[in-house]
Amino acid sequence: MNYEPITAEDFSLLATEKFKNGDYQGAIVAAEKSIGLKEDWHTLRILGGLLSRTNRFTEAIDAFRKSLAIKEDWNSY
């Protein structure tokens, strides 16, 4: 990104970009910032996947559960 992220959507996009570049920890931080601004099911699902990839399974389960509480989506199961 060539600009400073300020919205939840900006941080969500940054999380996706960092994930694609293999920066899982950076992606987790960006996803958490996005959720801090606006808790939405999609970013929570992404966070769950990131936490799972970094062997933080208990936190991943919590993120997936929060995602499912907002919107039931088969990817969160």
Side-chain angles (χ1 to χ4, degrees):
M1 283 188 159
N2 296 328
Y3 62 93
E4 195 67 29
I6 56 171
T7 67
E9 292 77 17
D10 291 343
F11 282 110
S12 186
L13 290 172
L14 180 61
T16 301
E17 183 179 307
K18 287 186 176 289
F19 169 77
K20 288 179 183 177
N21 291 326
D23 180 6
Y24 298 137
Q25 189 55 44
I28 289 169
V29 170
E32 288 173 335
K33 286 182 181 180
S34 174
I35 292 164
L37 294 170
K38 178 184 172 192
E39 193 171 271
D40 75 279
W41 71 273
H42 187 259
T43 307
L44 282 161
R45 184 176 61 80
I46 291 170
L47 178 61
L50 289 164
L51 292 166
S52 179
R53 283 186 179 258
T54 56
N55 299 321
R56 294 165 60 181
F57 300 115
T58 302
E59 293 171 88
I61 291 167
D62 289 341
F64 285 129
R65 284 185 176 152
K66 286 179 183 178
S67 174
L68 286 166
I70 297 169
K71 178 182 178 183
E72 287 196 31
D73 180 71
W74 69 271
N75 287 309
S76 296
Y77 286 101

